[in-house]
Amino acid sequence: MTGDSGEAAASADHHRARRQLLDLVSSDPTVGPRDSLAALLGFPDDPDARRAAVLILFGVLDDAPSAHRASAAAVSRDLDVLLLARATTLRSHAGQVAFPGGRLEPDDSGPVAAALREAQEETGVNPDGVDVLGTLAEVPLPYSSHRVTPVLAWWREPSPVRAVDVGESAAVFRAPVADLLDPANRGCTVIDRGPRTHRAPAFQVRTATGEHLVWGFTAMLLDGLFDRLGWTEPWDQMRELAIPNLLP
């Protein structure tokens, strides 16, 4: 497939992906409690937790498509999502890969405003080129006493991104979704905390900024999101991926 026919097919895939994301945010707040993304993650609610938001920004890569052909028709090789790696010197979540985002500030009109503000502050993304598709139901994050609103968005006019504050972020990168879905890049992290062992999904990502492991809350959000979208491919849930620099 070459030329105009190839471009038309890619455009159709992009439209399909955007449509599925839009359908998801249209249905998530009204679906049954057993079907919501928050319910899939299974975290207990905390009504006193602080409110936060993350921007899950999908777009189209311009020069580094995935080599993996995803099974989902909507996932073209150039579909990507924006991620960042936190600085290793931070006191909390050091070195972890995350979506842009943070706590709601008093001047924020709501989670959408907070997610866009944080994304601009952390990655330099231009909010004018971002189409916000909607929000998913709040997801409790009991480990840090937050309630996080995922804000789904489409990058209509991509802008250059970078680690704006190197004291906060070590790298900012666009990860091909097909790479994240590739079973060869999937596995689980295992953390022993006293008598309990915690297993959670994880993703390996190789970009121009280096190799990153997506784990913890971000990986659980991606995993749940891909499941809800019907994009997940069968993967080995017994494969263990080591967490770099994990403190005991």
Side-chain angles (χ1 to χ4, degrees), residues 14 27 32 52 63 76 85 110 124 127 134 138 142 149 159 173 197 202 216 219-220 235 243:
H14 303 156
S27 65
D63 60 359
S76 58
E138 285 184 329
T149 297
S159 51
F173 54 94
T197 297
M220 287 185 279
W235 56 282
I243 301 173

Side-chain angles (χ1 to χ4, degrees), residues 193 244-248:
R193 289 287 185 261
N245 305 315
L246 178 65
L247 296 176

Side-chain angles (χ1 to χ4, degrees), residues 76-235:
S76 58
R77 289 181 174 178
D78 54 2
L79 182 68
D80 74 337
V81 64
L82 182 65
L83 296 170
L84 60 86
R86 301 204 177 279
T88 57
T89 54
L90 292 177
R91 297 179 64 180
S92 62
H93 307 296
Q96 287 193 28
V97 174
F99 297 113
R103 295 180 192 168
L104 270 67
E105 300 292 345
D107 292 339
D108 293 326
S109 59
V112 170
L116 290 174
R117 173 184 54 76
E118 287 281 352
Q120 185 174 29
E121 292 175 356
E122 293 178 330
T123 72
V125 66
N126 183 357
D128 292 340
V130 174
D131 289 338
V132 174
L133 304 179
T135 62
L136 299 175
E138 285 184 329
V139 180
L141 184 55
Y143 309 114
S144 59
S145 191
H146 283 93
R147 300 177 73 188
V148 182
T149 297
V151 177
L152 292 194
W154 186 264
W155 216 345
R156 172 174 36 84
E157 296 181 6
S159 51
V161 290
R162 68 192 190 284
V164 175
D165 183 351
V166 294
E168 293 286 336
S169 303
V172 172
F173 54 94
R174 301 170 62 172
V177 174
D179 279 357
L180 295 169
L181 295 171
D182 186 348
N185 295 327
R186 299 212 55 181
C188 282
T189 54
V190 181
I191 301 178
D192 292 319
R193 289 287 185 261
R196 300 186 61 183
T197 297
H198 301 270
R199 296 182 64 90
F203 304 81
Q204 292 175 315
V205 180
R206 298 170 185 83
T207 72
T209 63
E211 184 169 322
H212 304 277
L213 181 70
V214 187
W215 63 285
F217 183 65
T218 303
M220 287 185 279
L221 273 185
L222 281 172
D223 179 68
L225 184 63
F226 293 157
D227 280 351
R228 287 289 314 281
L229 290 165
W231 294 356
T232 301
E233 301 177 22
W235 56 282

